[in-house]
Amino acid sequence: MEWNRKHVFDLEDFSKDEIETVLEVAKGYRESMKSAPAKTFDYLKGYTLMNMFFESSTRTRVSFELAGKRLGMHVVNFASSASSLNKSESVDDTIQTLDAMSLDAVVVRHSTIGTPQVVAANTQAAVINAGDGTHAHPTQALLDLLTMAEMGIDFPRAHVAITGDILHSRVARSDVYGLTKLGAKVTLVGPPTLLPEEFERLGVDICYDFDKIIPEVDVLYMLRIQKERMERAFFPTIGEYAKLYGLNEKRMAKAKPSVLVMHPGPVNRGVELQGAVMDGDRSFILEQVSCGLAVRMALLQLCVGGWVTR
Ligand code: ASP
């Protein structure tokens, strides 16, 4: 195993080997967390990580901060709302200014597609995309793959249904690249207004009938309705959407007993996921969060440290 990548923009340009390397390294961190949950390492001692979140985040921002600290890094959280961006300084100038203070890693989330590439052009640091608009969320996809692998999913034999607001979901796009590269069959499910046919070109199936697909799949991956990205109505009412595409106990009764229920969070309880299913024994949403920390430690080790084995 070797590693030659400095930036993480999307899984679209990752090879299967690279994905497997991240998962292998992350599994090592998962193992050590089992015996010592808050164990710290000094592998990246003296290096600096800057978190730049221009969009809201709970899980991703906190886990990158913890990942950096557990590896011994100095972590700086850049607060865009309190910065000179408010005095009309451009993102490029802001990055160049911050870069002059010697950064080693920049984690960026922005509503504009392609912002991580703009940041990379203005810094010496390794840049990791923590979500760019509706485009990509590679670290979410990697943590989803790690969760599935840990729960016994054998990708070449697995069938994963990703259901909901596909149109606005950067998670769905990155998950499709990751899953298909590892050989899994993927079906995208949702109302036609939120599931354009052009997604078929990504090598997935498309299905508008959630009830039909439920008994066939090994993973029910549910997506949040992204109201903040909707400029018009995509379905008559939230109640109508939940009736057709929400995962509830009645639908769970038709699923394989071994099915995994997953969601990237935050969840609209009672819309895409009924509370009882979210809190039920087939839900792996909190495992996803734990795997997120291990995956982000692995990516910092690989992209900043540049080495695979310790
Ligand atoms: N947290 C994920 C994201 O940032 C999913 C979501 O917000 O629905 O894309």
Side-chain angles (χ1 to χ4, degrees):
M1 287 194 297
E2 57 170 32
W3 189 261
N4 298 309
R5 175 182 295 274
K6 183 169 176 187
H7 306 303
V8 177
F9 297 139
D10 191 10
L11 294 194
E12 184 176 5
D13 69 345
F14 265 58
S15 66
K16 182 171 181 256
D17 272 3
E18 283 177 302
I19 294 175
E20 287 174 345
T21 300
V22 178
L23 298 184
E24 260 328 290
V25 175
K27 274 181 199 164
Y29 284 117
R30 282 287 281 165
E31 274 311 305
S32 65
M33 279 176 210
K34 278 179 196 155
S35 49
K39 186 169 175 188
T40 53
F41 303 83
D42 58 5
Y43 302 144
L44 297 180
K45 199 168 172 205
Y47 289 88
T48 302
L49 161 70
M50 189 171 65
N51 262 333
M52 295 189 90
F53 281 70
F54 297 88
E55 275 191 338
S56 316
S57 174
T58 300
R59 283 149 278 266
T60 310
R61 192 186 55 73
V62 173
S63 76
F64 265 115
E65 182 169 351
L66 275 179
K69 287 182 172 162
R70 298 245 169 116
L71 291 171
M73 299 179 89
H74 300 294
V75 182
V76 182
N77 285 306
F78 172 80
S80 59
S81 58
S83 73
S84 290
L85 288 165
N86 287 337
K87 299 180 190 166
S88 308
E89 189 169 39
S90 69
V91 172
D92 302 29
D93 287 343
T94 304
I95 303 293
Q96 284 174 16
T97 303
L98 296 167
D99 193 50
M101 296 183 231
S102 297
L103 303 172
D104 300 290
V106 176
V107 173
V108 61
R109 168 173 291 188
H110 200 284
S111 57
T112 305
I113 292 172
T115 301
Q117 286 86 337
V118 172
V119 172
N122 288 287
T123 174
Q124 297 302 308
V127 176
I128 302 181
N129 182 5
D132 62 328
T134 55
H135 175 237
H137 195 347
T139 65
Q140 176 72 46
L142 289 164
L143 75 86
D144 290 337
L145 296 173
L146 180 62
T147 308
M148 291 181 209
E150 289 211 334
M151 294 307 144
I153 293 291
D154 176 18
F155 292 103
R157 291 156 166 257
H159 185 181
V160 178
I162 303 178
T163 302
D165 183 359
I166 308 287
L167 182 66
H168 301 104
S169 178
R170 54 194 176 202
V171 173
R173 284 175 178 74
S174 292
D175 270 343
V176 164
Y177 287 122
L179 285 163
T180 53
K181 282 180 188 199
L182 294 188
K185 175 176 162 66
V186 180
T187 300
L188 300 178
V189 187
T193 46
L194 292 173
L195 179 46
E197 270 176 25
E198 71 219 34
F199 273 85
E200 264 173 352
R201 75 184 153 72
L202 299 179
V204 298
D205 288 350
I206 280 183
C207 173
Y208 301 115
D209 184 349
F210 190 30
D211 289 297
K212 187 166 155 252
I213 202 84
I214 286 175
E216 296 173 27
V217 301
D218 303 293
V219 180
L220 284 163
Y221 194 102
M222 307 304 293
L223 295 171
R224 182 174 68 89
I225 289 293
Q226 309 223 350
K227 293 191 204 103
E228 76 277 20
R229 300 196 201 277
M230 293 183 181
E231 282 141 23
R232 61 184 177 89
F234 286 85
F235 41 82
T237 62
I238 283 281
E240 189 72 15
Y241 176 85
K243 207 162 114 196
L244 291 173
Y245 295 101
L247 186 55
N248 51 32
E249 286 183 296
K250 202 166 145 216
R251 290 203 161 103
M252 279 299 285
K254 295 188 216 141
K256 290 184 185 175
S258 59
V259 77
L260 309 184
V261 173
M262 296 174 62
H263 189 299
V267 176
N268 291 309
R269 270 187 191 255
V271 181
E272 66 267 4
L273 258 189
Q274 196 184 35
V277 178
M278 181 174 169
D279 302 329
D281 62 358
R282 299 315 306 159
S283 167
F284 293 87
I285 297 171
L286 295 179
E287 276 75 6
Q288 287 173 267
V289 176
S290 306
C291 284
L293 180 55
V295 155
R296 289 167 181 133
M297 287 173 81
L299 284 172
L300 289 172
Q301 176 195 310
L302 292 164
C303 296
V304 179
W307 34 263
V308 176
T309 46
R310 289 176 260 143

